[in-house]
Amino acid sequence: MTALTGFAALYRQREKLSLRTRLLFTFGAVAALHLAAVGLLAAGTLLPGTFGGGQPLALGLVLTAYLAGIKHSYDWDHLAAIDNSTRKFVAQGKEPVSVGFAFSLGHSSVVVLAGALVLAGATVVGQFMEEGTTGNLVLGLIGSGVSGLFLLAMGVFNGSAFLRAARLHREMKAGGTVSAEDLEVKGFVAQLLAKPLARVRRPRNIYVIGFLFGLGFDTATTIGLLVMTTAASLAGVSPLALLSLPLAFAAAMTLCDSANGVAMMRMYRSALADPRRKLGFNTVVTGVSAVSALFISGITLGGFLNAAFGLQDPVTTWLGSIELGEAGLLLVALLLVVWGIAVLRGRAARGKLS
């Protein structure tokens, strides 16, 4: 009880903790998910009296679920949501180490809950997954509507920051001066987005966004995992081992998304650390984040309109059919290339000065 009380006190004072301590808490939680998945798998396949069975099958399924979690973490909508949220928090002077973890935990909570319901024999999950049913349509509209509007708001916010940074970059080249405060989003855009983003004040608020993103059951990865769980249950694999499938999926996704969130935080913080020297870099990465968010929101909201109103036009029909999974790796590669070029140019500049 004393340990729980101490942990609760630390949580209340989390914003006063050092960056290293908060990183340890974040990745400690990721490690706990991994341990839980391994523990359930071991309990379901090794311990006597647990109706264990199908050990090789269970191990193979858990590894498949883990790899599916890694792949799903690089969907472009994941990356756009995490990157743009991180950019917003860093611009507000915060150190958002847990944005990726919070978003991923919320998203994977849907999968864990659905997997538990499948194992409990709840047929309603299958009805939600079946395309064309009312439940599937409603959850899909909630997921796509929330994700599209959230990314639109983030895209507009960071787009405004990009335009401001580009203007300052031109002024600096003309001999003007710039400070970190000059890069803050102000004026009409800040007022316009004050209410929509009012509840997104801290990284933990992103958990709800991630949960709502996942409600649609609209990805092949999520549906495939739940179908795989159902099939393995019928094949006689232990329920405890099967519970490790969604947990392994969540563990992998939170690991990759947490690492992505921390990398983006470091990138954006380095861009703001020396506004004058790194203004060009800040302009580029902010522009990439804004364009990615606006691009994905356009696709998502186009699909939303197509499903909500039963449209048959070629544009929204095409937008609703786009798969965002593989494209996310291109966004990661682009941001890493930009960061790498900025680092090399910074070292070259320091070398000339010395």
Side-chain angles (χ1 to χ4, degrees), residues 73-156:
S73 69
Y74 289 103
D75 280 6
W76 200 325
D77 56 343
H78 269 240
L79 296 170
I82 293 169
D83 295 354
N84 279 268
S85 300
T86 301
R87 170 67 180 78
K88 172 184 178 292
F89 288 128
V90 170
Q92 294 171 340
K94 298 182 175 67
E95 294 178 324
V97 300
S98 58
V99 168
F101 176 77
F103 179 88
S104 189
L105 187 64
H107 197 82
S108 58
S109 292
V110 176
V111 180
V112 173
L113 178 60
L117 289 174
V118 165
L119 293 176
T123 58
V124 67
V125 178
Q127 294 172 5
F128 284 136
M129 286 192 298
E130 187 177 345
E131 190 173 350
T133 61
T134 302
N136 179 267
L137 177 62
V138 170
L139 288 183
L141 290 176
I142 293 173
S144 60
V146 169
S147 60
L149 291 173
F150 178 74
L151 289 173
L152 178 62
M154 285 296 179
V156 171

Side-chain angles (χ1 to χ4, degrees), residues 6-97:
F7 184 81
L10 276 176
Y11 181 78
R12 286 193 295 270
Q13 301 295 321
R14 61 194 173 281
E15 293 184 359
K16 297 181 180 179
L17 298 175
S18 67
L19 179 63
R20 179 176 295 183
T21 301
R22 285 184 287 127
L23 282 170
L24 287 173
F25 270 105
T26 297
F27 286 97
V30 173
L33 282 173
H34 282 75
L35 290 174
V38 172
L40 282 173
L41 176 64
T45 57
L46 302 177
L47 296 181
T50 58
F51 306 101
Q55 288 92 334
L57 175 61
L59 179 60
L61 291 174
V62 168
L63 290 175
T64 301
Y66 192 84
L67 293 175
I70 293 175
K71 179 180 181 297
H72 195 56
S73 69
Y74 289 103
D75 280 6
W76 200 325
D77 56 343
H78 269 240
L79 296 170
I82 293 169
D83 295 354
N84 279 268
S85 300
T86 301
R87 170 67 180 78
K88 172 184 178 292
F89 288 128
V90 170
Q92 294 171 340
K94 298 182 175 67
E95 294 178 324
V97 300

Side-chain angles (χ1 to χ4, degrees), residues 266-340:
R266 290 191 62 187
M267 181 185 294
Y268 291 128
R269 284 182 66 202
S270 70
L272 295 177
D274 186 349
R276 184 176 177 85
R277 186 169 62 84
K278 296 187 177 180
L279 185 55
F281 171 54
N282 178 72
T283 304
V284 172
V285 294
T286 302
V288 170
S289 292
V291 169
S292 69
L294 293 172
F295 177 66
I296 300 304
S297 69
I299 293 174
T300 306
L301 291 176
F304 171 85
L305 292 173
N306 182 267
F309 300 104
L311 302 179
Q312 301 297 323
D313 66 286
V315 176
T316 60
T317 301
W318 173 68
L319 290 173
S321 66
I322 293 177
E323 174 59 49
L324 300 174
E326 306 300 331
L329 293 173
L330 297 177
L331 179 60
V332 172
L334 178 59
L335 288 168
L336 289 176
V337 167
V338 172
W339 194 5

Side-chain angles (χ1 to χ4, degrees), residues 139-225:
L139 288 183
L141 290 176
I142 293 173
S144 60
V146 169
S147 60
L149 291 173
F150 178 74
L151 289 173
L152 178 62
M154 285 296 179
V156 171
F157 182 90
N158 287 327
S160 178
F162 164 73
L163 294 175
R164 191 176 186 84
R167 178 176 59 80
L168 290 170
H169 187 52
R170 290 193 300 270
E171 292 178 358
M172 188 188 73
K173 282 189 170 182
T177 58
V178 60
S179 65
E181 290 74 20
D182 293 330
L183 296 172
E184 295 178 5
V185 178
K186 300 173 183 177
F188 174 73
V189 171
Q191 295 175 6
L192 178 67
L193 298 177
K195 278 195 174 182
L197 298 179
R199 295 188 178 277
V200 188
R201 294 189 296 268
R202 295 178 179 84
R204 67 176 181 273
N205 300 138
I206 302 297
Y207 173 88
V208 178
I209 302 295
F211 186 88
L212 294 173
F213 264 53
L215 281 181
F217 293 114
D218 57 346
T219 63
T221 304
T222 303
I223 294 175
L225 179 64

